[in-house]
Each structure stands twice: as structure tokens, then as C-alpha cells.
Amino acid sequence: MLLFDHVSYSYPARHTPAVCDVSLALEPGCRIALLGANGSGKSTLARLANALLLPDEGCVVADGLSTTSQQTIRELRKLVGLVLQDPDNQIISSSVLDDVAFGPENLGLDRAEIARRCKEALALVGLTGYESRDPNMLSGGEKQRLVIAGILAMEPRYLVLDEPTSMLDVTGRNEVRAAIDALHDKGHGILHITHDLEEALEADLVV
């Protein structure tokens, strides 16, 4: 379970908390849609999920691992994958395959395991056959699916998606939504931050 337990967070020099006393539980296999106006703290909550930010009060725990423990933060980030709005901010390699392999390589896995994970992740998001392509030449929807594949190659149990379709055209949005549906079917816990009510309707729970 990914658990937010009475979590509050304030940015320095701001008087109003970005997140105030939020409690939320995400189970594996559950899909939660998180809605809210701009500035309501949605992206802050996403960053609290895998220790990019640390709560001022309360705690965030994934399968018993707290975001505030430096001893287990590496393991926690393997459990909780984060996909941001702009895929260009998360693509770092010159080929699709290298980009997906980056995470598993940094885990120190052997080549056979890395190859298996990359193959499965690319298949799940519909990018099989794209391995040698330059990520910069992909469409917006393909780039976002590539980012999701890179996260999946780390084999997280929970995925936090921060408005992953907000910068895409209709085709790109449909591609990413199909990938999210596939992840849900595979049993990942998904926290989907969105402004799109059609996307929210696909969730098990709306917050």
C-alpha cells in the first residue's frame, strides 16, 4: 500500500500550505484519479509520493518504507514510479532502448535481466520495434509512453502520473490512456492526476 497519512507540506516563504492534512491510501491494482484546480497541491502530492519532497507533518509510506528514511529511499523509489507532465524532462538517452534501459542498468542488473525488462516494458506501452529510434523524433504521445516504459522497467508496484496527457493532442492522449489501462490491468496501483473528467471516470476512485 502507498499511504499518505495526515500529510502536510509548505514551500519555503509561502504562508499557505501546498498540501494540508491529506490522508490517502493506494492499493496495488487500484486506480485513483486525483482532481483539483491549478495550485491546489496535486503536483506537490505527486512529488511527496517518492521522496522528491518530504512532508513537514505526517508521513508517506510505501509497503512499509518511509520516504523520510535515507536507508531505504532507493528501495522506495523502485516501488513508486513518477511520470511528469512534460516527457522531455524525463528522456535522457539518444535511443529508445537506451532510455528504457537506463534505470535497470543503474540497479546493477545483469544484461539478460535488463533486456527482459526493456522488452516487456516496451511491449506493454506499444513501442515494440521502436528500440533504435531517436526519442527526439517521436510524437508527444510516443514520448510519454517511452517515459512510462522507462519507469516500468524498474518494476514499480505503484505509478504516480502527474497530468501525463495535458500537453498532448487527441491521438497522444488516447495512446497514453491505453497504456494506463494496460498498467491497471496488470495490477499496478495508479494515482492519476488529471483535469480530464473522461479520464477520471475510468478510475476506481475519484478524489
Side-chain angles (χ1 to χ4, degrees), residues 4 18 29 42 57 75 84-85 94 102 111 119 192:
F4 298 83
K42 302 185 305 299
E57 298 178 12
E75 292 300 315
L84 303 174
Q85 288 183 3
S94 58
F102 180 81
R111 289 189 176 183
K119 181 178 180 180
H192 184 184

Side-chain angles (χ1 to χ4, degrees), residues 180-194:
I180 295 171
D181 289 342
L183 301 178
H184 186 214
D185 292 341
K186 288 280 286 184
H188 293 275
I190 298 173
L191 180 60
H192 184 184
I193 297 169
T194 180

Side-chain angles (χ1 to χ4, degrees), residues 118-193:
C118 290
K119 181 178 180 180
E120 291 182 0
L122 287 168
L124 194 58
V125 300
L127 289 180
T128 299
Y130 285 62
E131 287 83 354
S132 62
R133 294 198 188 184
D134 181 348
N136 295 311
M137 303 305 293
L138 301 179
S139 69
E142 289 167 345
K143 286 181 178 180
Q144 196 63 285
R145 285 188 285 147
L146 172 58
V147 171
I148 293 172
I151 299 295
L152 289 179
M154 303 285 285
E155 297 192 345
R157 187 165 298 165
Y158 309 98
L159 284 161
V160 180
L161 309 170
D162 187 7
E163 298 189 50
T165 63
S166 65
M167 301 179 67
L168 305 179
D169 59 19
V170 173
T171 299
R173 286 199 297 272
N174 289 337
E175 290 173 349
V176 173
R177 286 171 65 176
I180 295 171
D181 289 342
L183 301 178
H184 186 214
D185 292 341
K186 288 280 286 184
H188 293 275
I190 298 173
L191 180 60
H192 184 184
I193 297 169

Side-chain angles (χ1 to χ4, degrees), residues 54 58-59 70-71 73 89 93 109 112 119 129 143 148 150-151 160 168-169 187 200:
L54 300 179
C59 62
Q70 289 299 314
Q71 288 74 30
I73 192 169
N89 291 337
S93 299
L109 302 175
K119 181 178 180 180
K143 286 181 178 180
I148 293 172
I151 299 295
V160 180
L168 305 179
D169 59 19

Side-chain angles (χ1 to χ4, degrees), residues 50-51 53-55 59-61 64-77:
N50 76 342
L53 297 174
L54 300 179
C59 62
V60 181
V61 180
L65 303 179
S66 172
T67 60
T68 57
S69 173
Q70 289 299 314
Q71 288 74 30
T72 59
I73 192 169
R74 185 181 177 91
E75 292 300 315
L76 182 138
R77 285 182 172 159

